Amino acid sequence: MILVQLKGGLGNQMFQYAAGRALALRYDVPLYLDKGSYEPRQAAMYGLDGLKIHAAAASENMIPHPGPLGKVFNRLAPASMRSILREAHFHYDPAFEAVKPPVYLKGYWQSWKYFAPVADVIREDFAFNIDFSPEILAKAEILRNSDSVAMHFRRGDYTSTSAAVYHGICEPEYYERAAARYPGATFYIFTNDPAWVKDNLPAGIPYEILSGSLSSTQYEDLFLMSQCRHQIIANSSYSWWAAWLNRFPGKRITAPKRWFLAEGLHDHDLVPAAWDRI
């Protein structure tokens, strides 16, 4: 079996699932998801049930708890012999390719390289397991058939001191430069802070704020973002997935050149080479 520890919000969970699913498909074994890292007050953060995933919930007796000697062995052993694989660093780890089941994956696994061989399967798994309202579906049809650009502003938790130091926030200048790359387009705004965004949008662009007006859940936002022909994403795994799930053949994606403010984190395996970075 492949066991994956889940942590973080929906975008993080999607990366964790995708890495585990890739391994499960490679070895034709079941995939289990461990939600035990969430405290009871964080239970609402789990979001994969809104997608058509192929995995079961892990039971407590599935979780490996090695003793002191087991921890040392697991740290020193080749990847193919480890029962627990901890993410060594943020960028892609080639040791992932040597892993064999049963194994417990602990990390964020934020690179498309972990699931590139099964990308088509991941797209199908990340279809929405939700009956969207007629209004949402009608707007999606408009987005697919017009020169639409999803523009995502991640604020909320990113504005706390600790998060701001680690992640950094995409400033209005980034969005102004990005918007200039899409002349004639209409911009559809997705954000957890509509009031701030309205006061800080690039001047003179045609826009519509969908978050909080038409869409009211993380699934509706993610779905509508992915239906736009193009995306301007924040340094957020959530809008990363909206861009990746976009099926428009001529799509253009703009992403921030610096994903993290903290030093020592390399994001060169996170953003596909075909996406523009500014």
Side-chain angles (χ1 to χ4, degrees), residues 26 36 113 122 198:
R26 183 189 305 170
K113 292 183 178 181
I122 299 302
K198 190 172 183 179

Side-chain angles (χ1 to χ4, degrees), residues 40-260:
R41 64 184 177 83
Q42 297 176 313
M45 292 182 68
Y46 175 70
L48 293 178
D49 282 348
L51 306 173
K52 295 182 177 180
I53 61 170
H54 291 76
S59 58
E60 177 57 32
N61 61 7
M62 292 179 178
I63 313 301
H65 298 286
L69 291 178
K71 290 180 180 179
V72 172
F73 173 81
N74 195 77
R75 186 170 63 250
L76 300 177
S80 60
M81 298 177 64
R82 296 182 192 177
S83 60
I84 301 174
L85 184 68
R86 295 180 182 273
E87 186 177 39
H89 40 65
F90 184 80
H91 52 282
Y92 175 74
D93 185 358
F96 183 85
E97 301 304 324
V99 172
K100 294 181 180 178
V103 68
Y104 182 31
L105 300 180
K106 303 185 76 171
Y108 287 99
W109 314 107
Q110 290 190 11
S111 173
W112 56 271
K113 292 183 178 181
Y114 289 116
F115 54 88
V118 294
D120 289 344
V121 174
I122 299 302
R123 290 183 189 279
E124 296 305 317
D125 287 3
F126 288 164
F128 291 88
N129 190 26
I130 291 170
D131 292 326
F132 291 116
S133 69
E135 292 77 14
I136 293 290
L137 295 176
K139 177 60 75 172
E141 181 72 13
I142 292 171
L143 299 178
R144 287 192 297 269
N145 292 288
S146 62
D147 194 11
S148 58
V149 180
M151 184 180 281
H152 181 230
F153 291 76
R154 174 73 178 268
R155 291 187 56 78
D157 57 329
Y158 268 30
T159 62
S160 69
T161 301
S162 58
V165 170
Y166 184 80
H167 292 284
I169 298 176
C170 293
E171 299 293 346
E173 292 78 12
Y174 163 70
Y175 293 99
E176 185 171 359
R177 293 175 60 201
R181 298 184 172 212
Y182 301 89
T186 299
F187 297 85
Y188 294 90
I189 312 304
F190 301 87
T191 181
N192 49 7
D193 192 350
W196 183 93
V197 169
K198 190 172 183 179
D199 291 336
N200 290 275
L201 281 169
I205 66 168
Y207 73 89
E208 181 179 355
I209 298 178
L210 296 185
S211 295
S213 55
L214 176 62
S215 57
S216 58
T217 71
Q218 62 180 346
Y219 304 115
E220 291 174 342
D221 268 8
L222 185 62
F223 171 65
L224 290 175
M225 273 196 283
S226 72
Q227 299 303 294
C228 290
R229 289 192 169 187
H230 313 286
Q231 281 81 23
I232 297 171
I233 68 173
N235 53 338
S236 163
S237 58
Y238 182 66
S239 51
W240 188 100
W241 278 108
W244 192 83
L245 291 171
N246 177 358
R247 293 176 180 264
F248 181 60
K251 72 178 181 181
R252 292 180 55 205
I253 312 299
T254 302
K257 194 169 187 178
R258 187 165 189 176
W259 199 266
F260 293 104

